Amino acid sequence: MPGSTRAIAGVAVGGLALATLVAVGDSPASATPATSVVVNEVYGGGGNSGATYTNDFVELTNRSGAAVSLDGWSVQYHSGGATGAWQVTPLSGSIAPGGFYLVGEAKGAGGTQALPAMQATGTIAMSATAGTIALVHGTTALTCADSAACQSASVDLVGYGTAALNETAPAAGASNTASVQRSGKADSDDNSADFSAGDPTPGAANAGSGGGGGGGGEPGPLRIHDIQGASWLSPHNGEKVTNVPGVVTAIRSAGSSKGYWIQDPTPDASPATSEGIFVYSSSPGVAVGDSVLVSGTVKDYYPLSSGDTVEKTSNLSVTEISGSTASVLSHDNALPAAEVIKPDTVPGKYAPDLGGANIESTPIDPARSALDFWESREGMRVQVDDARVVGPSNKYGEQFVTTKPAQATTYRGGTELLAENAVPSGRIEVATADGSNPGVSVGDVLQGATAGPVDYSQFGGYTIAATQVGAVQHKNLPPVVATPQSRKQLAVATYNVENLAPGDPDTKYTRLAQGVVKNLAKPDIIAVEEVQDNTGATDDGVVAADKTLTKLTAAIVAAGGPKYDWREIDPVNDKDGGQPGGNIRVVYLFNPARVSFVDRGASSVDRSTTPTAVEKLKGKPALTLSPGRIDPANTAWNSSRKPLAGEFRFRNKPVFVIANHFASKLGDQNADGRYQYPAQSSAVQRAAQATAVHSFVQRILKVDKKSDVVVLGDLNDYQFSPALAALKTGSTSGHGTPILTDLIATLPVNERYTYVYSGISEVLDHILVTPSTRGVRYQVVHVNAEYTNQTSDHDPQVVRLKP
């Protein structure tokens, strides 16, 4: 039933009032448990060597919203074994809502500090390492000798160390210097789960502890909105704060950044100041619904990748209270209502254009951009109803949804990047607070409410740390199946197989093979990216990849496909980037029953460092080396894959194919970060790579302007990027006559994507053809990027043409 609620300096403090237990004198111990009063801490090391406190103690706490009389109750102790007598310390008086009740026991010769004010005293000499405490509704010594009987006869039972009498299993870690302390969560009747070891915190010391019970203190001078302020960095960053009031709304018990969120249920009038904040604590010791006073140091914490620093990171910070201690005033309080995010709640622009400047130097304006909006809600509870998934679940239980279901929607339910620096503002990450994985794919719906505090992740920007996830409604998005080529059509595909190595599970090879046979409809030529060497990521000097390719081509045959032949050039060890030691490269697979490969050049030539060139043979263009690399000494290819040029013949017609894997975006500033718009340092290298490939295609067309040239692969850039402009025209501005058509641009706008990154459907993979290429039919084959169960992170694509 509802209990009383008291206001302390603007913070509602209350809970569920449980019936006050009436004293019954010296009645026998009974099995009448009171869920409101429990044992909170047990310490038997008092007065021992190394101890701080001179006495053993038992501490009780009242988790209800009403005072409970302890007249006629007792605390009883049993040694660690199953045999022996129970020793009794009678109790009297009452315990306030959320308060402590300290029972002092025997004093030892060691220790330097007396216990704080005690509500009851006894003379029991408790063991530091093993024993059992029973809270009993009566003062007659217990006679039970097994755990079940003792639990039935007690209000609460706590065994520690190797105690034979306990609830489920004893608590661990008690010693001369450590007590066992109850966590803030509900009593589970398992001492090992409910208690953990830590420095003793008797009575009033809990006001400065990181966990446990309740009790005392008044709110300090600052509220959460004062700490958050109307700026991106806290105006109190680096300062110590005392007794900041709030209600615990969520707990993060997994991962490296453990702790909990608190929110002030009484907001100020400013839309720019958040009422929530994260409290960093490796042992939170609080429960959702606890009204707490938190002390510690304010810190703007920047999540960093390996090798990153606060000075150079482009990530935004999370304002938190670190080095925290907490006092619990009461339990089971109603949580502040979550703000329901509707389609028009978040601004339409994701980030402001600041010319590359730091957004932290500007005031927060929740109406300016999505970044501003979410920063103004950092740590606060929000809710999205019936959220459509736009980025699939990963192994960490993270996925992306949209708050704007009509914004930049793809034909399969994602949300699309339509221009540079045009991140869809409705997209938001959902990370389950408990680490569970809903296993959703693009187009699925989290039906009902998905709610939790707002957090920030270096891998996806602002995040809802969901304590409640809507029921999963699977849409079962069907994989795309390409139209098979006719006898007169040549089918050329590209597929990034994501660090394929011989040590990968057979299931990966099987699924890749099924994708080639069924979904790509057995292309005649496949440019395969990210094929690793025979020892995978082991950096041992091995560069050959024949084992990898033998395993892949055998899997394709087993799936009902043709026996593909291959051509590739082993890279110089550790010179082509990618996963260290993996020596990834691009490879041609081709069906010799349908197409022939024109091998040119002496076998003695070192093709990893010798460039191929275009020559004129019988009036037609030909490659001096086929397969060959384009300008491998060019600095544009430093720590990057070199393009593979190959000459094929289909129905006795020549076709030139150039397979690519341009430099990645690694090192670029974060699109979700503090520099807006973000600098893309990697774009310079990709533009140089594109220019080199453009020049090579130009040389082919100079010999025969009607040549059929297919340029394809993972170009790691968008269709509207300077790199693609340079590839088509030779100029990053796009000025000039295009000699290549980017086929992604021929699709309807809502189909222009090959990859899903952090909930954004975008283009990284491309197929381009020269102007005279006839009968072009192009498809992106969505089989991976939109699904939680991926074989690769890229989707393949295929073009059918008539040379």
Side-chain angles (χ1 to χ4, degrees):
M1 61 181 178
S4 61
T5 300
R6 60 193 177 99
I8 298 181
V11 179
V13 183
L16 297 177
L18 302 177
T20 301
L21 297 167
V22 180
V24 292
D26 289 341
S27 60
S30 63
T32 312
T35 57
S36 57
V37 180
V38 292
V39 175
N40 188 63
E41 187 173 3
V42 177
Y43 179 55
N48 293 355
S49 174
T52 299
Y53 292 101
T54 57
N55 291 68
D56 300 337
F57 68 83
V58 177
E59 180 184 83
L60 312 177
T61 189
N62 178 6
R63 290 190 156 194
S64 78
V68 175
S69 171
L70 298 180
D71 290 338
W73 292 43
S74 64
V75 162
Q76 303 194 17
Y77 172 79
H78 193 285
S79 62
T83 60
W86 286 87
Q87 302 176 64
V88 180
T89 299
L91 309 179
S92 62
S94 65
I95 181 170
F100 293 136
Y101 188 102
L102 183 61
V103 183
E105 295 293 356
K107 183 177 181 179
T112 58
Q113 188 173 331
L115 293 176
M118 295 169 281
Q119 287 69 54
T121 58
T123 58
I124 301 172
M126 297 161 52
S127 167
T129 57
T132 303
I133 292 293
L135 175 61
V136 180
H137 191 197
T139 56
T140 300
L142 298 175
T143 58
C144 56
D146 67 83
S147 294
C150 292
Q151 189 171 355
S152 177
S154 307
V155 174
D156 195 18
L157 187 75
V158 179
Y160 61 97
T162 57
L165 306 176
N166 55 73
E167 292 181 352
T168 306
S175 69
N176 287 356
T177 58
S179 67
V180 290
Q181 305 167 30
R182 184 180 292 276
S183 69
K185 58 190 177 185
D187 187 6
S188 70
D189 285 342
D190 182 347
N191 296 154
S192 65
D194 294 341
F195 286 80
S196 58
D199 294 335
T201 57
N206 281 273
S209 77
E218 293 293 324
L222 295 179
R223 297 295 175 267
I224 294 171
H225 51 250
D226 299 320
I227 296 171
Q228 290 282 12
S231 55
W232 295 79
L233 300 179
S234 170
H236 299 279
N237 187 25
E239 297 178 12
K240 292 187 179 297
V241 292
T242 303
N243 285 4
V244 179
V247 174
V248 178
T249 60
I251 296 173
R252 182 161 59 209
S253 56
S256 59
S257 184
K258 297 178 182 177
Y260 55 96
W261 287 268
I262 62 174
Q263 185 169 334
D264 192 332
T266 308
D268 67 359
S270 171
T273 57
S274 171
E275 304 295 340
I277 196 167
F278 183 71
V279 180
Y280 175 76
S281 174
S282 58
S283 301
V286 296
V288 172
D290 283 354
S291 178
V292 295
L293 299 175
V294 175
S295 301
T297 301
V298 176
K299 180 180 180 181
D300 274 294
Y301 167 75
Y302 289 91
L304 301 176
S305 303
S306 177
D308 207 356
T309 65
V310 170
E311 291 72 25
K312 70 178 185 179
T313 186
S314 63
N315 291 324
L316 287 165
S317 69
V318 176
T319 302
E320 64 181 30
I321 300 176
S322 63
S324 62
T325 61
S327 176
V328 180
L329 302 178
S330 63
H331 304 287
D332 301 321
N333 295 279
L335 303 187
E339 179 183 6
V340 178
I341 308 298
K342 298 180 178 179
D344 59 351
T345 303
V346 181
K349 192 175 184 62
Y350 186 74
D353 183 359
L354 303 176
N358 190 343
I359 198 171
E360 293 170 339
S361 64
T362 70
I364 295 172
D365 179 2
R368 177 174 62 168
S369 73
L371 290 182
D372 289 89
F373 176 87
W374 292 117
E375 178 67 14
S376 72
R377 270 77 172 171
E378 182 186 75
M380 293 179 64
R381 297 185 72 231
V382 297
Q383 175 178 320
V384 182
D385 294 331
D386 299 329
R388 190 181 77 243
V389 175
V390 296
S393 301
N394 63 19
K395 62 182 179 181
Y396 305 107
E398 300 162 341
Q399 44 277 308
F400 288 81
V401 301
T402 181
T403 66
K404 297 178 180 292
Q407 183 185 53
T409 306
T410 71
Y411 79 115
R412 288 163 61 84
T415 186
E416 195 171 6
L417 187 69
L418 298 176
E420 198 75 65
N421 298 310
V423 174
S425 65
R427 146 266 196 195
I428 182 77
E429 182 180 339
V430 172
T432 54
D434 61 1
S436 60
N437 194 331
V440 292
S441 297
V442 168
D444 292 347
V445 175
L446 301 179
Q447 206 163 38
T450 295
V454 175
D455 196 19
Y456 181 87
S457 163
Q458 62 179 310
F459 303 112
Y462 287 97
T463 302
I464 300 174
T467 56
Q468 177 184 359
V469 178
V472 176
Q473 185 182 60
H474 291 293
K475 293 297 185 182
N476 299 315
L477 196 64
V480 172
V481 176
T483 303
Q485 67 271 27
S486 69
R487 183 175 61 87
K488 295 182 179 181
Q489 287 178 314
L490 173 68
V492 185
T494 176
Y495 200 168
N496 182 319
V497 292
E498 193 177 7
N499 289 317
L500 185 67
D504 286 339
D506 290 344
T507 52
K508 178 171 182 177
Y509 281 89
T510 299
R511 292 187 62 187
L512 286 172
Q514 290 170 343
V516 168
V517 174
K518 178 181 177 182
N519 300 94
L520 281 171
K522 308 174 189 176
D524 302 308
I525 302 170
I526 311 172
V528 185
E529 298 88 47
E530 292 198 18
V531 172
Q532 291 195 344
D533 65 38
N534 289 336
T535 58
T538 302
D539 197 357
D540 53 5
V542 171
V543 293
D546 55 297
K547 293 181 181 178
T548 313
L549 293 166
T550 297
K551 191 171 181 178
L552 176 59
T553 53
I556 293 171
V557 171
K563 184 171 178 55
Y564 284 100
D565 202 347
W566 72 75
R567 293 292 187 276
E568 56 95 18
I569 297 174
D570 294 337
V572 177
N573 187 47
D574 291 340
K575 294 297 184 181
D576 279 16
Q579 188 176 18
N583 288 311
I584 58 173
R585 81 287 309 275
V586 291
V587 175
Y588 294 125
L589 300 184
F590 63 95
N591 180 0
R594 291 265 301 165
V595 65
S596 60
F597 189 87
V598 181
D599 290 290
R600 294 189 189 278
S603 59
S604 60
V605 175
D606 182 358
R607 296 179 188 237
S608 64
T609 57
T610 304
T612 187
V614 178
E615 62 180 353
K616 193 173 186 179
L617 289 179
K618 298 179 181 179
K620 296 293 182 180
L623 303 182
T624 57
L625 293 176
S626 176
R629 287 183 156 187
I630 296 175
D631 198 9
N634 189 327
T635 56
W637 308 114
N638 286 354
S639 298
S640 183
R641 284 66 54 188
K642 285 69 177 172
L644 187 66
E647 191 175 334
F648 294 84
R649 296 193 76 83
F650 176 73
R651 296 173 62 84
N652 206 32
K653 301 290 185 181
V655 179
F656 297 92
V657 181
I658 301 173
N660 303 272
H661 188 184
F662 284 2
S664 74
K665 292 178 176 289
L666 196 66
D668 289 359
Q669 290 180 346
N670 191 345
D672 304 306
R674 53 182 173 174
Y675 300 107
Q676 296 297 336
Y677 293 145
Q680 298 183 45
S681 56
S682 67
V684 176
Q685 184 175 11
R686 284 191 301 278
Q689 293 175 340
T691 300
V693 174
H694 173 87
S695 297
F696 191 83
V697 175
Q698 231 175 6
R699 290 196 287 274
I700 295 174
L701 296 180
K702 186 175 181 180
V703 177
D704 182 359
K705 65 180 181 181
K706 293 184 178 181
S707 295
D708 291 310
V709 183
V710 180
V711 177
L712 75 175
D714 177 3
L715 304 186
N716 267 315
D717 222 332
Y718 312 130
Q719 66 272 35
F720 35 73
S721 66
L724 267 295
L727 185 56
K728 291 182 291 185
T729 68
S731 167
T732 55
S733 67
H735 296 145
T737 302
I739 63 170
L740 289 165
T741 299
D742 190 0
L743 297 181
I744 197 77
T746 66
L747 297 179
V749 171
N750 65 353
E751 296 182 21
R752 296 177 187 175
Y753 63 98
T754 68
Y755 190 79
V756 178
Y757 177 75
S758 292
I760 306 169
S761 296
E762 57 192 42
V763 179
L764 292 184
D765 311 84
H766 300 257
I767 297 180
L768 302 93
V769 296
T770 44
S772 61
T773 306
R774 297 181 305 151
V776 174
R777 299 291 184 269
Y778 168 73
Q779 288 177 278
V780 178
V781 180
H782 300 293
V783 292
N784 292 315
E786 296 170 312
Y787 298 94
T788 182
N789 186 17
Q790 300 179 349
T791 308
S792 166
D793 51 352
H794 290 253
D795 283 332
Q797 51 191 290
V798 61
V799 62
R800 301 185 305 280
L801 49 91
K802 294 181 178 179

